Amino acid sequence: DGNSTANRDMCDRTKNTNVRFSLPAVCVVWQTAMIILFGVFIRYDEESDPHWLEHKKLNNISSDIENDFYFRYPSFQDVHVMIFVGFGFLMTFLKRYSFGGVGFNFLIAAFGLQWALLMQGWFHSLDYTDGKIKIGIENLINADFCVAGCLIAYGALLGKVSPVQLMVLTLFGITLFAVEEYIILNLIHARDAGGSMVIHTFGAYYGLSISWMLYRPNLDQSSRLQGSVYHSDVFATIGTLFLWMFWPSFNSAITDHGDGQHRAVINTYLALASTVLTTVAMSSLFQKHGKLDMVHVQNSTLAGGVAVGTAAEFMLMPYGSLIVGFCCGVISTLGYIYISPFLEKYMKVQDTCGVHNLHAMPGVIGGIVGAITAAAASESVYGHEGLVKTFDFEGAFEKMEPTTQGGHQAGGLCVALIFGIGGGMIVGAILRLPIWGDPADDNCFDDETYWEVRGREFILF
């Protein structure tokens, strides 16, 4: 029958692909390459090297507590939990794709952070005296940030692509991320502590563009598997709660020590709280009988953390954070109700996790809020030294005015959009090649395509 034919076709495609691009071969080749490249380029920085003792004496540092590890490691742990537990469990909402959600998240995060240390290191941490990349705790945080962009892109493709395709997506995604990050932060001199532009806007539009390029007109053959069941939604909400609790660390992890980091935590905390109440109100208002939709609670409640990222360390003011959270709760929830169906029907974008509503639109809002807040900055509010420190008005940018900085912030948002959409279209064209072992239309959103699944008949109804 038709289903048997489709299954045979899928098996044939996978069999043919495995001869050339099997998952074990890709993993072994990649890890071997990483060992070689790390051996050639990666070394410890001065704060993680035994010469730290000499560095302390030379710089009159009296205590080991001044080592950046003690300032950054708590934030690193929080961000690390978000990457592996938060994003992973958030993707377990599909009734038959929990292994794929959390397992492939685990795979591409571990795969990507190694490449991120190299790519970001070549742009930001290369010691030109010996040609080595010097890494410390802040590099690990930035590598997690880099991986986050690819995990966001994965959300748009959840259940529709093979693990080899995900590794190709991650390879190119991290390369593009490192380039656009360098352009935005170093060349344009935009500030983006929480990554509204660099991480969320780029990652979301990168994934959405790939999804558009990989559009499946017959995906309705797997429609029976696209929904959730009670227990899968509970597991996904675990991811939401981890992300929600640790998002203040995400937005403040690499900000300047002191008031900037403190302010970033407060702004994020308040924006997230505001988003929860707004999301609940909007979900109840637009659902039949005033009931809540768990999809909105799992996703839209996080949108405020995304949108406040760029301006997290700015003088957004507590009431401003609440306003940002309120606006994102409204826009994100309405996005799930109206915009996602429109994108799939008319724009041919099949967005499995709704990353357009959680990351893309809030990311753009975050970029706009950052530009406005930067342009409105003044010495009367920040003080002269505070203004210089917050916006890094030093060196070549010593004479930068806040209004000009606002324009640079807007320019950074444009770069993130260009790299996300343009890069996604190019990578999507590569992933369309029939060599990656992607699942057939009637085998999407099912763990059995790539995983050994035991005992599921006892928990699925």
mmCIF file of all heavy atoms in Angstrom, residues 145 191-200 247 249-255 264 268 305-313:
data_model
loop_
_atom_site.group_PDB
_atom_site.id
_atom_site.type_symbol
_atom_site.label_atom_id
_atom_site.label_comp_id
_atom_site.label_asym_id
_atom_site.label_seq_id
_atom_site.Cartn_x
_atom_site.Cartn_y
_atom_site.Cartn_z
ATOM 1 N N PHE A 145 26.470 30.611 24.272
ATOM 2 C CA PHE A 145 25.629 31.576 23.566
ATOM 3 C C PHE A 145 25.574 31.252 22.077
ATOM 4 O O PHE A 145 24.518 31.320 21.444
ATOM 5 C CB PHE A 145 26.176 32.991 23.739
ATOM 6 C CG PHE A 145 25.884 33.612 25.083
ATOM 7 C CD1 PHE A 145 26.497 34.793 25.461
ATOM 8 C CD2 PHE A 145 25.000 33.027 25.964
ATOM 9 C CE1 PHE A 145 26.230 35.385 26.680
ATOM 10 C CE2 PHE A 145 24.718 33.602 27.194
ATOM 11 C CZ PHE A 145 25.339 34.785 27.557
ATOM 12 N N ARG A 191 25.987 47.177 21.337
ATOM 13 C CA ARG A 191 25.998 46.447 22.604
ATOM 14 C C ARG A 191 24.821 45.484 22.605
ATOM 15 O O ARG A 191 23.701 45.854 22.237
ATOM 16 C CB ARG A 191 25.877 47.413 23.786
ATOM 17 C CG ARG A 191 26.962 48.473 23.840
ATOM 18 C CD ARG A 191 28.290 47.918 24.257
ATOM 19 N NE ARG A 191 28.337 47.639 25.691
ATOM 20 C CZ ARG A 191 29.383 47.078 26.300
ATOM 21 N NH1 ARG A 191 30.445 46.724 25.604
ATOM 22 N NH2 ARG A 191 29.361 46.870 27.602
ATOM 23 N N ASP A 192 25.065 44.248 23.010
ATOM 24 C CA ASP A 192 24.007 43.233 22.962
ATOM 25 C C ASP A 192 24.290 42.147 23.992
ATOM 26 O O ASP A 192 24.509 40.988 23.646
ATOM 27 C CB ASP A 192 23.925 42.651 21.551
ATOM 28 C CG ASP A 192 22.660 41.825 21.311
ATOM 29 O OD1 ASP A 192 21.675 42.023 22.051
ATOM 30 O OD2 ASP A 192 22.654 41.001 20.386
ATOM 31 N N ALA A 193 24.278 42.531 25.266
ATOM 32 C CA ALA A 193 24.688 41.627 26.335
ATOM 33 C C ALA A 193 23.870 40.341 26.361
ATOM 34 O O ALA A 193 24.415 39.246 26.514
ATOM 35 C CB ALA A 193 24.579 42.337 27.688
ATOM 36 N N GLY A 194 22.556 40.446 26.211
ATOM 37 C CA GLY A 194 21.685 39.272 26.276
ATOM 38 C C GLY A 194 21.379 38.647 24.933
ATOM 39 O O GLY A 194 20.629 37.670 24.865
ATOM 40 N N GLY A 195 21.947 39.197 23.864
ATOM 41 C CA GLY A 195 21.847 38.558 22.553
ATOM 42 C C GLY A 195 20.510 38.649 21.860
ATOM 43 O O GLY A 195 20.200 37.785 21.042
ATOM 44 N N SER A 196 19.703 39.659 22.132
ATOM 45 C CA SER A 196 18.428 39.783 21.410
ATOM 46 C C SER A 196 18.645 39.777 19.904
ATOM 47 O O SER A 196 17.885 39.148 19.155
ATOM 48 C CB SER A 196 17.707 41.076 21.805
ATOM 49 O OG SER A 196 17.367 41.084 23.165
ATOM 50 N N MET A 197 19.686 40.472 19.461
ATOM 51 C CA MET A 197 19.989 40.532 18.032
ATOM 52 C C MET A 197 20.909 39.392 17.610
ATOM 53 O O MET A 197 20.579 38.616 16.700
ATOM 54 C CB MET A 197 20.654 41.875 17.694
ATOM 55 C CG MET A 197 19.821 43.097 18.042
ATOM 56 S SD MET A 197 20.615 44.658 17.589
ATOM 57 C CE MET A 197 22.014 44.704 18.729
ATOM 58 N N VAL A 198 22.049 39.296 18.272
ATOM 59 C CA VAL A 198 23.097 38.367 17.851
ATOM 60 C C VAL A 198 22.651 36.911 17.968
ATOM 61 O O VAL A 198 22.957 36.083 17.093
ATOM 62 C CB VAL A 198 24.371 38.604 18.686
ATOM 63 C CG1 VAL A 198 25.421 37.549 18.390
ATOM 64 C CG2 VAL A 198 24.934 39.987 18.397
ATOM 65 N N ILE A 199 21.932 36.571 19.035
ATOM 66 C CA ILE A 199 21.533 35.182 19.276
ATOM 67 C C ILE A 199 20.118 34.905 18.770
ATOM 68 O O ILE A 199 19.909 34.050 17.900
ATOM 69 C CB ILE A 199 21.619 34.845 20.780
ATOM 70 C CG1 ILE A 199 23.046 35.027 21.288
ATOM 71 C CG2 ILE A 199 21.138 33.415 21.028
ATOM 72 C CD1 ILE A 199 23.184 34.909 22.800
ATOM 73 N N HIS A 200 19.146 35.624 19.293
ATOM 74 C CA HIS A 200 17.752 35.268 19.057
ATOM 75 C C HIS A 200 17.265 35.644 17.663
ATOM 76 O O HIS A 200 16.631 34.822 16.975
ATOM 77 C CB HIS A 200 16.865 35.903 20.127
ATOM 78 C CG HIS A 200 17.198 35.450 21.513
ATOM 79 N ND1 HIS A 200 16.822 34.224 21.996
ATOM 80 C CD2 HIS A 200 17.891 36.062 22.513
ATOM 81 C CE1 HIS A 200 17.263 34.089 23.230
ATOM 82 N NE2 HIS A 200 17.921 35.191 23.566
ATOM 83 N N TRP A 247 17.110 32.772 33.096
ATOM 84 C CA TRP A 247 17.295 33.782 32.062
ATOM 85 C C TRP A 247 18.000 35.049 32.567
ATOM 86 O O TRP A 247 18.777 35.664 31.837
ATOM 87 C CB TRP A 247 15.953 34.138 31.417
ATOM 88 C CG TRP A 247 16.117 34.447 29.950
ATOM 89 C CD1 TRP A 247 16.776 35.511 29.401
ATOM 90 C CD2 TRP A 247 15.641 33.662 28.860
ATOM 91 N NE1 TRP A 247 16.731 35.441 28.026
ATOM 92 C CE2 TRP A 247 16.037 34.322 27.669
ATOM 93 C CE3 TRP A 247 14.899 32.489 28.769
ATOM 94 C CZ2 TRP A 247 15.723 33.826 26.402
ATOM 95 C CZ3 TRP A 247 14.592 31.995 27.513
ATOM 96 C CH2 TRP A 247 15.002 32.661 26.348
ATOM 97 N N SER A 249 20.512 35.166 34.469
ATOM 98 C CA SER A 249 21.936 34.848 34.321
ATOM 99 C C SER A 249 22.362 34.904 32.863
ATOM 100 O O SER A 249 23.470 35.358 32.547
ATOM 101 C CB SER A 249 22.235 33.455 34.888
ATOM 102 O OG SER A 249 22.031 33.412 36.273
ATOM 103 N N PHE A 250 21.515 34.444 31.968
ATOM 104 C CA PHE A 250 21.812 34.449 30.537
ATOM 105 C C PHE A 250 22.075 35.873 30.052
ATOM 106 O O PHE A 250 23.053 36.141 29.344
ATOM 107 C CB PHE A 250 20.641 33.828 29.774
ATOM 108 C CG PHE A 250 20.898 33.563 28.317
ATOM 109 C CD1 PHE A 250 21.354 32.328 27.889
ATOM 110 C CD2 PHE A 250 20.666 34.541 27.368
ATOM 111 C CE1 PHE A 250 21.578 32.072 26.542
ATOM 112 C CE2 PHE A 250 20.886 34.306 26.017
ATOM 113 C CZ PHE A 250 21.341 33.063 25.604
ATOM 114 N N ASN A 251 21.211 36.798 30.441
ATOM 115 C CA ASN A 251 21.329 38.178 29.972
ATOM 116 C C ASN A 251 22.446 38.965 30.663
ATOM 117 O O ASN A 251 22.885 39.993 30.146
ATOM 118 C CB ASN A 251 20.004 38.922 30.150
ATOM 119 C CG ASN A 251 18.981 38.542 29.100
ATOM 120 O OD1 ASN A 251 19.276 37.839 28.137
ATOM 121 N ND2 ASN A 251 17.755 38.994 29.284
ATOM 122 N N SER A 252 22.884 38.501 31.818
ATOM 123 C CA SER A 252 23.896 39.255 32.570
ATOM 124 C C SER A 252 25.263 38.580 32.593
ATOM 125 O O SER A 252 26.213 39.144 33.131
ATOM 126 C CB SER A 252 23.425 39.446 34.018
ATOM 127 O OG SER A 252 23.358 38.192 34.692
ATOM 128 N N ALA A 253 25.382 37.407 31.989
ATOM 129 C CA ALA A 253 26.580 36.580 32.173
ATOM 130 C C ALA A 253 27.866 37.262 31.747
ATOM 131 O O ALA A 253 28.912 37.086 32.380
ATOM 132 C CB ALA A 253 26.417 35.254 31.435
ATOM 133 N N ILE A 254 27.842 38.031 30.655
ATOM 134 C CA ILE A 254 29.083 38.634 30.156
ATOM 135 C C ILE A 254 29.071 40.160 30.256
ATOM 136 O O ILE A 254 29.897 40.826 29.628
ATOM 137 C CB ILE A 254 29.367 38.200 28.706
ATOM 138 C CG1 ILE A 254 28.217 38.600 27.778
ATOM 139 C CG2 ILE A 254 29.625 36.707 28.631
ATOM 140 C CD1 ILE A 254 28.542 38.412 26.310
ATOM 141 N N THR A 255 28.139 40.707 31.010
ATOM 142 C CA THR A 255 28.125 42.155 31.214
ATOM 143 C C THR A 255 29.263 42.554 32.155
ATOM 144 O O THR A 255 29.886 41.714 32.806
ATOM 145 C CB THR A 255 26.781 42.613 31.811
ATOM 146 O OG1 THR A 255 26.503 41.826 32.982
ATOM 147 C CG2 THR A 255 25.656 42.432 30.827
ATOM 148 N N ALA A 264 21.226 44.252 34.786
ATOM 149 C CA ALA A 264 20.743 43.295 33.784
ATOM 150 C C ALA A 264 19.874 42.218 34.429
ATOM 151 O O ALA A 264 18.853 41.795 33.864
ATOM 152 C CB ALA A 264 21.926 42.666 33.057
ATOM 153 N N THR A 268 15.796 41.846 33.546
ATOM 154 C CA THR A 268 15.321 40.577 32.991
ATOM 155 C C THR A 268 14.272 39.939 33.898
ATOM 156 O O THR A 268 13.246 39.433 33.433
ATOM 157 C CB THR A 268 16.500 39.613 32.793
ATOM 158 O OG1 THR A 268 17.517 40.251 32.020
ATOM 159 C CG2 THR A 268 16.053 38.344 32.089
ATOM 160 N N GLY A 305 12.199 37.775 28.348
ATOM 161 C CA GLY A 305 13.628 37.593 28.539
ATOM 162 C C GLY A 305 14.404 37.786 27.254
ATOM 163 O O GLY A 305 15.527 38.299 27.265
ATOM 164 N N VAL A 306 13.806 37.367 26.143
ATOM 165 C CA VAL A 306 14.437 37.573 24.834
ATOM 166 C C VAL A 306 14.498 39.064 24.512
ATOM 167 O O VAL A 306 15.542 39.603 24.129
ATOM 168 C CB VAL A 306 13.656 36.825 23.729
ATOM 169 C CG1 VAL A 306 14.218 37.156 22.354
ATOM 170 C CG2 VAL A 306 13.681 35.322 23.972
ATOM 171 N N ALA A 307 13.386 39.757 24.663
ATOM 172 C CA ALA A 307 13.277 41.144 24.210
ATOM 173 C C ALA A 307 14.066 42.128 25.058
ATOM 174 O O ALA A 307 14.461 43.182 24.572
ATOM 175 C CB ALA A 307 11.810 41.564 24.176
ATOM 176 N N VAL A 308 14.313 41.795 26.311
ATOM 177 C CA VAL A 308 15.038 42.731 27.175
ATOM 178 C C VAL A 308 16.552 42.523 27.079
ATOM 179 O O VAL A 308 17.334 43.272 27.674
ATOM 180 C CB VAL A 308 14.559 42.581 28.638
ATOM 181 C CG1 VAL A 308 15.233 41.383 29.313
ATOM 182 C CG2 VAL A 308 14.778 43.858 29.434
ATOM 183 N N GLY A 309 16.991 41.539 26.298
ATOM 184 C CA GLY A 309 18.399 41.162 26.265
ATOM 185 C C GLY A 309 19.338 42.274 25.863
ATOM 186 O O GLY A 309 20.355 42.520 26.522
ATOM 187 N N THR A 310 19.051 42.969 24.756
ATOM 188 C CA THR A 310 19.956 44.013 24.281
ATOM 189 C C THR A 310 20.062 45.157 25.276
ATOM 190 O O THR A 310 21.153 45.669 25.548
ATOM 191 C CB THR A 310 19.486 44.553 22.917
ATOM 192 O OG1 THR A 310 19.535 43.500 21.955
ATOM 193 C CG2 THR A 310 20.357 45.701 22.450
ATOM 194 N N ALA A 311 18.962 45.579 25.819
ATOM 195 C CA ALA A 311 18.942 46.730 26.733
ATOM 196 C C ALA A 311 19.061 46.325 28.190
ATOM 197 O O ALA A 311 18.876 47.161 29.078
ATOM 198 C CB ALA A 311 17.649 47.529 26.529
ATOM 199 N N ALA A 312 19.394 45.070 28.463
ATOM 200 C CA ALA A 312 19.389 44.575 29.842
ATOM 201 C C ALA A 312 20.297 45.383 30.750
ATOM 202 O O ALA A 312 19.953 45.654 31.910
ATOM 203 C CB ALA A 312 19.794 43.101 29.870
ATOM 204 N N GLU A 313 21.473 45.780 30.253
ATOM 205 C CA GLU A 313 22.409 46.522 31.102
ATOM 206 C C GLU A 313 22.237 48.036 30.988
ATOM 207 O O GLU A 313 22.942 48.797 31.646
ATOM 208 C CB GLU A 313 23.845 46.135 30.753
ATOM 209 C CG GLU A 313 24.234 46.440 29.323
ATOM 210 C CD GLU A 313 25.658 46.009 29.008
ATOM 211 O OE1 GLU A 313 26.501 46.033 29.933
ATOM 212 O OE2 GLU A 313 25.935 45.666 27.853
#
